[in-house]
Amino acid sequence: MSQPAHEPRKTLDPDRVAEWLACHPDFFVGREGLLQQLKVPHPETQGATSLLERLVHDLRRRAEGAEFRLEQLLDSARHNESQYRRTRELVLALLEAEDNDALGQALATQLSECFQTPAVALWCPSSLTDRDLQPPQPPRHVLDEHTGQRLAALLDGRASRCTRLTPTDWKRLIPHVKAPAKSGSCTIARLTLGDPQGYLVLASPDPDYFRASMDTLFTEYLADILVRLSLRLSERSHG
């Protein structure tokens, strides 16, 4: 009598196996020995490793990644705290200025000491200085038509901007500080309170110190403070 033929061996669909295991996460409870027999690709070398070893490896990598992200967050928090403290010292020094020349001096000193900004110029329209007993002292300067046109051209219709600063522009826009032999960089912000009230220029001989990709929010914030303090001090001295 002939033996019945064996049915062909069926192979389970891997996707269906994975789907079934996902629906039965407790399958390996009581089957821990099976976990030790499973082999999975090694993440760093050719060959296979046990599932438990792979899980340990993955958990270690996740822990290292979490530790790195935490360190980044801590670095960012420390940087923000430092920026806040320096900005606070700057604003307090500006508030203590008794006149516009003292305001300009406090600005230049704080930016140099706290923010490592080598050069600063504050260009004011003649309406803010024409009744002063003496000409404004650097870093303050009276804004003339030629300088105003050049600053407007560098801003190119924006409220603020970071850009390269040629030695020629340096001599024109920051005349009280010796110009570098090669192009540096600067950030420019328009002083505006209803009407245009001048320009703020921060500069460095380093061409990459103020890059075009940088955010100018701090420069605009500083310009907003300066224009208000400058107008208030001007009214006080002329009152």
Side-chain angles (χ1 to χ4, degrees):
M1 185 173 181
S2 62
Q3 297 291 332
H6 294 286
E7 294 183 1
R9 188 175 184 180
K10 295 182 179 180
T11 302
L12 295 176
D13 180 22
D15 291 336
R16 295 192 63 184
V17 173
E19 181 180 352
W20 189 90
L21 288 174
C23 294
H24 300 79
D26 58 347
F27 173 75
F28 289 102
V29 176
R31 299 182 176 90
E32 288 77 8
L34 180 59
L35 288 173
Q36 299 179 6
Q37 299 177 37
L38 295 178
K39 298 293 182 180
V40 294
H42 196 283
E44 297 179 354
T45 61
Q46 294 183 350
T49 184
S50 70
L51 178 62
L52 292 179
E53 290 178 353
R54 175 60 184 268
L55 289 174
V56 170
H57 178 274
D58 289 347
L59 289 174
R60 184 181 296 113
R61 291 189 61 182
R62 291 183 184 180
E64 291 173 351
E67 183 178 0
F68 175 73
R69 289 191 294 272
L70 177 60
E71 187 61 33
Q72 285 185 314
L73 289 174
L74 292 175
D75 287 342
S76 178
R78 286 189 286 264
H79 173 74
N80 290 339
E81 181 182 6
S82 175
Q83 286 288 90
Y84 163 75
R85 291 184 180 279
R86 290 185 293 171
T87 302
R88 179 177 180 272
E89 292 180 11
L90 168 61
V91 172
L92 290 177
L94 296 179
L95 289 173
E96 292 174 356
E98 297 182 353
D99 55 46
N100 274 315
D101 280 340
L103 180 70
Q105 290 295 329
L107 174 66
T109 299
Q110 290 294 318
L111 286 176
S112 175
E113 294 180 355
C114 297
F115 294 90
Q116 290 73 54
T117 302
V120 55
L122 197 58
W123 288 92
C124 309
S126 58
S127 58
L128 292 180
T129 60
D130 56 5
R131 287 188 288 173
D132 290 348
L133 298 178
Q134 297 180 347
Q137 300 298 308
R140 295 177 67 230
H141 300 279
V142 179
L143 183 64
D144 57 78
E145 182 179 358
H146 183 65
T147 303
Q149 290 177 349
R150 184 55 188 158
L151 285 165
L154 288 173
L155 278 175
D156 193 25
R158 310 175 202 180
S160 60
R161 183 189 182 195
C162 292
T163 185
R164 287 292 181 95
L165 192 65
T166 66
T168 300
D169 280 334
W170 185 298
K171 294 175 183 177
R172 178 186 301 159
L173 304 180
I174 314 176
H176 58 285
V177 179
K178 184 179 180 181
K182 298 181 179 180
S183 292
S185 59
C186 71
T187 177
I188 306 172
R190 198 186 306 272
L191 302 178
T192 305
L193 190 60
D195 298 321
Q197 299 293 337
Y199 297 88
L200 170 65
V201 183
L202 311 182
S204 170
D206 182 354
D208 296 322
Y209 193 85
F210 296 106
R211 300 182 301 276
S213 59
M214 292 178 62
D215 192 344
T216 57
L217 182 62
F218 174 76
T219 312
E220 293 184 14
Y221 168 73
L222 188 55
D224 288 341
I225 294 175
L226 287 169
V227 68
R228 286 163 173 76
L229 291 177
S230 182
L231 289 173
R232 184 180 302 173
L233 291 171
S234 180
E235 292 172 358
R236 180 191 300 176
S237 63
H238 297 160

